[in-house]
Amino acid sequence: MSFTVASSFNSGVAHLTLAGRLDANTAGQFKAEIEKIAEERPTVVALFVQDLEYMASAGIRMLVFTKQKLGAQTDIYVIGAQPQIVHTLEMTGVDKSVIFADSFELAATN
Amino acid sequence: MPTLTLPGDLNSLEPLTDLVLEQAELAGLDTRATYQLRLAVDEIATNIILHGYQEQALQGEIVVTAEVNDQALVVTLEDTAPPYNPLKRDINRVKEDFEKPLHERSIGGLGVYFAIHAVSEFHYEWRNGRNRNIFVVHRTSPTATEGSTAHSAHA
């Protein structure tokens, strides 16, 4: 399985659904999608990653890019991350800058 | 001992990963150890392709070998890019970034950090005009935790 990303936008919230392998070869697709949603100036980005099986450092660089592109005040939710991806984000302290949740609806109302 | 010769191109990451996953299963590694090995090998291969070959306007190959023995799974990447020892990277500067919020981070060095910290042992050699990056995952112990990885370099 390679990589797919799809996005939608609703009331200031950008929804991105990622699946497959996010590595140096596929990160460009993610970056292009971030640049697309940046035009809508979202205040919240929800990443649905239930079907994302792998994230390399290129994926982490894309999270850095997202924050730098959209601004520090933009909240990034990571929804349904597999344990190994959570571990990768914890190894690099990224967990302190994103919000993990099993469900975006529940997390966003808390 | 499986050996795979791949072009120094990002499209090679997928077959490289497939070999690593296949050998990790053969070695009986658990889910986390398998993922961490995949991460380490993928990151170093990416650096070889992007920095060793493409940035130098060079073409070359990556030769991957995997060996399962009683104690460990050993994966070796060989390339003909200019000599580069990942262990000489200042990992402490990379780690300083981990305390910063995302928008204040630089974006380099993560791959080497993963390579060194995600496996039981990481070794680098320069031999016969080739970089050799060697990843060792012990079969009997849990995944290496940060700070416990052994590493060495021989030039």
Side-chain angles (χ1 to χ4, degrees):
Chain A
M1 184 182 196
S2 191
F3 177 73
T4 60
V5 55
S7 66
S8 61
F9 191 84
N10 187 19
S11 303
V13 180
H15 297 243
L16 285 91
T17 303
L18 315 181
R21 305 176 176 189
L22 179 51
D23 60 19
N25 200 27
T26 60
Q29 292 172 247
F30 186 22
K31 186 177 185 182
E33 210 67 22
I34 293 294
E35 287 174 331
K36 193 170 89 178
I37 61 152
E39 294 171 8
E40 306 286 344
R41 299 185 178 279
T43 54
V44 174
V45 175
L47 303 176
F48 295 87
V49 297
Q50 288 92 340
D51 294 322
L52 188 67
E53 57 144 314
Y54 176 72
M55 181 190 286
S57 65
I60 292 175
R61 282 193 287 278
M62 287 304 103
L63 295 179
V64 172
F65 174 76
T66 302
K67 275 281 191 181
Q68 291 174 344
K69 184 82 177 172
L70 302 179
Q73 75 289 346
T74 305
D75 288 329
I76 299 178
Y77 288 78
V78 178
I79 311 298
Q82 297 183 19
Q84 305 314 326
I85 289 177
V86 173
H87 180 66
T88 302
L89 297 177
E90 287 174 344
M91 279 177 78
T92 52
V94 175
D95 57 313
K96 294 189 282 263
S97 293
V98 301
I99 303 159
F100 291 110
D102 293 329
S103 158
F104 176 65
E105 286 71 24
L106 285 176
T109 54
N110 285 335
Chain B
M1 184 166 68
T3 300
L4 196 58
T5 300
L6 297 164
D9 181 281
L10 289 176
N11 289 321
S12 294
L13 294 178
E14 192 159 334
L16 171 60
T17 293
D18 290 345
L19 177 71
V20 169
L21 295 179
E22 172 194 301
Q23 294 299 308
E25 184 175 4
L26 192 67
L29 301 188
D30 66 21
T31 304
R32 175 162 288 189
T34 298
Y35 190 95
Q36 295 290 87
L37 173 63
R38 171 188 188 175
L39 184 62
V41 173
D42 174 79
E43 296 291 350
I44 290 295
T46 297
N47 282 354
I48 292 167
I49 293 163
L50 294 181
H51 305 305
Y53 288 138
Q54 292 187 3
E55 281 179 10
Q56 314 292 327
L58 296 173
Q59 291 191 329
E61 295 174 331
I62 299 178
V63 179
V64 192
T65 57
E67 179 189 4
V68 180
N69 60 40
D70 288 344
Q71 287 79 39
L73 167 59
V74 182
V75 177
T76 303
L77 301 183
E78 287 190 6
D79 67 82
T80 55
Y84 177 72
N85 179 357
L87 295 171
K88 289 192 173 172
R89 178 102 196 186
D90 186 353
I91 290 301
N92 287 329
R93 289 194 64 182
V94 177
K95 287 173 74 174
E96 285 171 11
D97 249 11
F98 296 171
E99 301 303 317
K100 296 178 184 172
L102 285 184
H103 64 279
E104 292 179 9
R105 293 188 182 204
S106 57
I107 55 174
L110 272 180
V112 171
Y113 177 84
F114 283 136
I116 293 172
H117 289 83
V119 290
S120 309
E121 300 174 34
F122 175 77
H123 306 279
Y124 169 82
E125 298 174 347
W126 172 254
R127 184 184 292 180
N128 299 327
R130 289 173 168 247
N131 294 292
R132 300 183 82 236
N133 291 278
I134 303 162
F135 309 83
V136 180
V137 180
H138 299 156
R139 299 179 68 184
T140 52
S141 65
T143 307
T145 53
E146 284 98 301
S148 67
T149 303
H151 39 78
S152 69
H154 303 284

